[in-house]
Amino acid sequence: ESNGRLYFADSLLIPKLSNRKTKVKPVSEKDLNEILEVEKTLGNEAEEKALVFECHRLKSHNIIKEPMRISVLDSTAGFDIASYNDSSDVKPTRFIEVKSVDNSNKFFISENEISKSKLYGNQYFLYLYNREKKSFVIIQNPYQNVFNNEKWKLQSKLFECKKVA
């Protein structure tokens, strides 16, 4: 009896699933690469739209500064766009993480992005670009308003494992 666990059939080392309770289908390497490519394209599209949106926001507040798309320079920054909150700002004071979402508003976020949202607090913004509505939901201080808010469900999907000593 497998109790829904992965086991190997015969001696062929082909994984078979039994009594599966989740609706996750097996994904081939080719399919995974296609999915990742689509996600990358959607992410880039959302970042480009956020950059345009941010340019309009700055102009509408008479802030004569240009936002910078940091993600193309440093994918480890913990945010995608650096911008400004005031025309007197000498350096960026608005740090924007962009996520492409559908109507479910489900997204994935890294530990680094969560850490930066905690560090920057009210200067950190989450721009959720809804591809279906073609609009943004903007969340200031997601560390407080998403990650520590019971209206949002956080679920771990990935764990880092390493052998110690």
Side-chain angles (χ1 to χ4, degrees), residues 13-61:
L13 296 180
I14 299 171
K16 271 187 139 179
L17 296 171
S18 176
N19 299 327
R20 183 176 263 202
K21 293 181 182 177
T22 62
K23 295 182 181 184
V24 177
K25 296 179 194 173
V27 177
S28 70
E29 183 178 6
K30 179 181 179 260
D31 289 345
L32 177 61
N33 287 334
E34 288 174 9
I35 291 166
L36 292 173
E37 192 59 39
V38 167
E39 288 180 359
K40 182 178 176 184
T41 300
L42 292 173
N44 282 328
E45 174 191 40
E47 285 184 28
E48 289 168 10
K49 293 197 180 288
L51 198 58
V52 169
F53 179 90
E54 192 59 15
C55 284
H56 289 300
R57 187 191 69 79
L58 291 171
K59 285 180 187 172
S60 73
H61 288 87

Side-chain angles (χ1 to χ4, degrees), residues 29-134:
E29 183 178 6
K30 179 181 179 260
D31 289 345
L32 177 61
N33 287 334
E34 288 174 9
I35 291 166
L36 292 173
E37 192 59 39
V38 167
E39 288 180 359
K40 182 178 176 184
T41 300
L42 292 173
N44 282 328
E45 174 191 40
E47 285 184 28
E48 289 168 10
K49 293 197 180 288
L51 198 58
V52 169
F53 179 90
E54 192 59 15
C55 284
H56 289 300
R57 187 191 69 79
L58 291 171
K59 285 180 187 172
S60 73
H61 288 87
N62 294 319
I63 301 172
I64 314 299
K65 301 210 180 264
E66 291 290 321
M68 297 166 279
R69 189 169 172 198
I70 301 300
S71 61
V72 296
L73 304 172
D74 181 4
S75 62
T76 66
F79 55 91
D80 299 312
I81 296 171
S83 190
Y84 303 88
N85 287 314
D86 192 87
S87 58
S88 64
D89 294 338
V90 176
K91 60 183 182 175
T93 54
R94 188 179 189 101
F95 304 95
I96 302 165
E97 178 58 32
V98 181
K99 299 295 181 184
S100 178
V101 299
D102 59 17
N103 285 331
S104 72
N105 282 329
K106 180 177 95 172
F107 61 92
F108 294 93
I109 192 154
S110 72
E111 183 180 354
N112 185 38
E113 292 161 349
I114 293 171
S115 173
K116 295 299 182 184
S117 73
K118 182 179 182 182
L119 175 69
Y120 291 118
N122 286 329
Q123 292 182 314
Y124 196 96
F125 291 78
L126 191 57
Y127 282 27
L128 301 179
Y129 177 68
N130 186 310
R131 301 182 302 273
E132 296 169 17
K133 295 178 181 175
K134 305 223 181 290

